[in-house]
Amino acid sequence: MPLKSKIRGLYRRLGELRRLPYRLRYRRQLRAKDFTLLTNNCLGGLLYHELGLPFLSPLINIYMNNGDFLRLCGDLERYMAEPLAFFRRPGTDCPVAKLGELTIKFPHEPSEASARANWERRRARIRYDNLYVIFLDIGNATAEELAAFDALPQKNRLYVRHAAGEHGGRDWFEAVRGSLSRRGYDAFPLIAFLNDPAAFAAPGAVGGPPGDRAAAGQLSGD
């Protein structure tokens, strides 16, 4: 095995050991178990992994732009009935597919066949009666997109700001940048949201309406 591969493997194992205290605490505190996470990027897969839960969502290790993700959540059952249609996008070396008019990238999948198989298997597991939406804003969400988020039919919603942007909000990730053991979602109240999402729906709460967000939350099964 090449030396670089050995070093990368050692670093990954070290990272797993460093994460163990966080994972044990999260799993001990978590009361919610059987739920589907809808996220617009890789966060969903990371959170399921951290919590030791099966992937009950097809949105695992994917990327969608803000508008497409919000449209998906706004009419989830209709879009889940659509087939994935893969296509070649110049300059993109990962599988990319259309779901209706929406675009989904699969940056961690080695092939279209793998992406399709994982999507189909996990899509069948969706818990439509227990949906949680986490919208990760990297600082580019528009006022219209935030309004669309607040109008989603899912009552369990968390708005998460990764970086300061036009609409303000606290950058929760700043506290953990550069840490070998901590990840961005260690800095926001993930378990509190999953256990009691209603507490995050009020104006002024993390994830409350855009104009009243006092501290927009920042934030991991086969």
Side-chain angles (χ1 to χ4, degrees), residues 1-145:
M1 179 184 296
L3 181 59
K4 284 187 177 180
S5 297
K6 290 182 179 180
I7 293 174
R8 282 197 296 267
L10 180 61
Y11 189 81
R12 281 195 298 269
R13 289 193 292 274
L14 179 59
E16 291 291 307
L17 288 174
R18 288 177 178 272
R19 289 301 304 165
L20 188 58
Y22 296 92
R23 290 174 180 167
L24 292 176
R25 184 175 74 249
Y26 288 157
R27 295 174 189 186
R28 184 175 65 252
Q29 295 173 343
L30 184 67
R31 297 193 304 271
K33 301 290 184 181
D34 193 46
F35 55 84
T36 288
L37 275 177
L38 303 176
T39 63
N40 53 322
N41 61 13
C42 307
L43 182 62
L46 288 170
L47 295 181
Y48 275 121
H49 179 66
E50 291 282 83
L51 298 172
L53 298 176
F55 294 153
L56 303 182
S57 170
L59 302 186
I60 301 297
N61 297 333
I62 57 92
Y63 170 78
M64 300 182 73
N65 67 41
N66 296 343
D68 281 358
F69 173 69
L70 294 168
R71 281 186 283 274
L72 173 71
C73 294
D75 201 356
L76 184 64
E77 293 195 52
R78 178 174 76 84
Y79 283 113
M80 286 299 109
E82 296 275 358
L84 283 177
F86 287 91
F87 67 98
R88 298 291 181 181
R89 172 177 282 181
T92 301
D93 58 3
C94 69
V96 184
K98 285 290 186 181
L99 188 71
E101 76 280 11
L102 312 181
T103 301
I104 304 176
K105 294 177 69 174
F106 298 85
H108 301 286
E109 293 287 1
S111 67
E112 293 179 3
S114 173
R116 186 187 302 278
N118 286 332
W119 176 273
E120 297 291 346
R121 185 175 68 257
R122 295 162 183 166
R123 181 179 63 175
R125 302 173 181 166
I126 294 176
R127 303 300 194 256
Y128 286 100
D129 60 345
N130 200 20
L131 298 169
Y132 286 72
V133 176
I134 300 179
F135 176 31
L136 181 63
D137 173 12
I138 61 173
N140 63 351
T142 65
E144 292 76 17
E145 288 167 344

Side-chain angles (χ1 to χ4, degrees), residues 136-157:
L136 181 63
D137 173 12
I138 61 173
N140 63 351
T142 65
E144 292 76 17
E145 288 167 344
L146 293 176
F149 168 79
D150 285 319
L152 290 177
Q154 295 85 10
K155 66 180 186 300
N156 303 331
R157 303 190 305 273

